[in-house]
Amino acid sequence: MTGGGVAVDFRLLGPVEAWRDGVEVPLDGAKQRTVLAALLLADGHMVSDDRLCELLWGEEPPATFVAQIYTYVSRLRKNLGDTLVIVRQRPGYLLRGGRLDTREFDRLAAAGTEQLRAGRHEAAAGLLRSALALWRGPALAGVTDRLSEAQARRLEENRLVALAGRVEADLALGRQVDLVPELTALVAAHPLHEGFRVQLMSALARCDRQADALAVYRAGRRELADQLGIDPGPALESAFRAILAGPVPGPRVSAEGRATGPASSAGPVADGVVPGVPP
């Protein structure tokens, strides 16, 4: 809250937007959105004129770039009113105030990951699902390519980590039937992401679709060889061997939403263990 209790919300997980008491604040084009997003991503630290210049114009800035940046900042101050503070701190600017969706995403994702590590899968799935619901499309849409290239990939990686954690929690809760279509689409969109491929193999095997699960492995092996010239990693190989070894049991879930029994004690995919698949 700033400006006498007026709520200001900034959204970077999708098109860059600013909202004041539920009403969208007008932002004038990609360069003004870039200045706002850069100041927000700095999290209260100063962003220099040179850095803003690089994000706005690259290697061929205008001679008047300092004055033009000042104009973009002045327009932001006018559009946002007294609901936040943009401070001129030479040699740049910093922004104070407002609520930011990336901070809320980080908070929910961290809490969900903690619950997942503790084996509280229902709570983990809920928190991670809430974190992912903050995304409205590709992050930082509407800014310059230079800012998007510098920051959007990091934000997307964080989204994929949270998504993999939510899938892991749902697998532990025995939701494999519903997960198969989602994971099939994820593997198609991210063919080199071995974690999603492992989770799809696990879900298929629990649905008594071992042949399909092995086909997913073979396709992944070809993708890795053709695109990167490498063999599958330990997690993918472990999933393959586990499916060959026999039926994959599903988890038993307690009334509190905690998965119990041998099949639910597996660690995260990132540790090289397939959720719900015995090593």
Side-chain angles (χ1 to χ4, degrees), residues 67-162:
Q68 290 195 43
I69 291 171
Y70 176 80
T71 299
Y72 294 131
V73 171
S74 296
R75 289 175 181 169
L76 283 173
R77 287 171 174 154
K78 178 181 177 182
N79 290 343
L80 292 164
D82 61 354
T83 56
L84 83 165
V85 178
I86 302 178
V87 178
R88 175 60 170 165
Q89 180 174 301
R90 295 185 184 278
Y93 296 88
L94 63 84
L95 183 151
R96 297 194 187 105
R99 299 182 299 217
L100 187 56
D101 60 355
T102 54
R103 289 195 202 106
E104 181 66 2
F105 171 83
D106 290 343
R107 184 188 70 81
L108 289 168
T113 300
E114 183 178 349
Q115 294 294 318
L116 186 61
R117 288 172 178 163
R120 293 186 283 270
H121 298 107
E122 194 69 69
L127 286 163
L128 292 167
R129 192 169 283 110
S130 294
L132 293 163
L134 294 171
W135 285 72
R136 297 165 291 111
L140 300 175
V143 303
T144 62
D145 290 342
R146 285 166 286 276
L147 178 58
S148 180
E149 290 166 2
Q151 296 285 348
R153 183 169 183 174
R154 173 182 65 83
L155 296 172
E156 175 64 8
E157 286 294 330
N158 291 342
R159 186 186 74 86
L160 293 179
V161 170

Side-chain angles (χ1 to χ4, degrees), residues 116 121-122 124-125 129 163-183 186 195-207 239 248-253 257-260 263-269 273-277:
L116 186 61
H121 298 107
E122 194 69 69
R129 192 169 283 110
L163 181 54
R166 197 228 79 215
V167 170
E168 181 182 339
D170 282 339
L171 273 172
L173 293 166
R175 295 168 179 164
Q176 58 267 14
V177 173
D178 294 333
L179 285 170
V180 166
E182 179 184 8
L183 283 166
L186 284 171
F196 289 143
R197 194 172 292 274
V198 167
Q199 290 176 324
L200 176 57
M201 291 169 63
S202 178
L204 286 167
R206 292 192 198 178
C207 293
V248 178
R252 298 188 298 276
V253 182
R258 182 191 294 270
T260 61
S264 66
S265 60
V269 170
V273 182
V274 187
V277 178

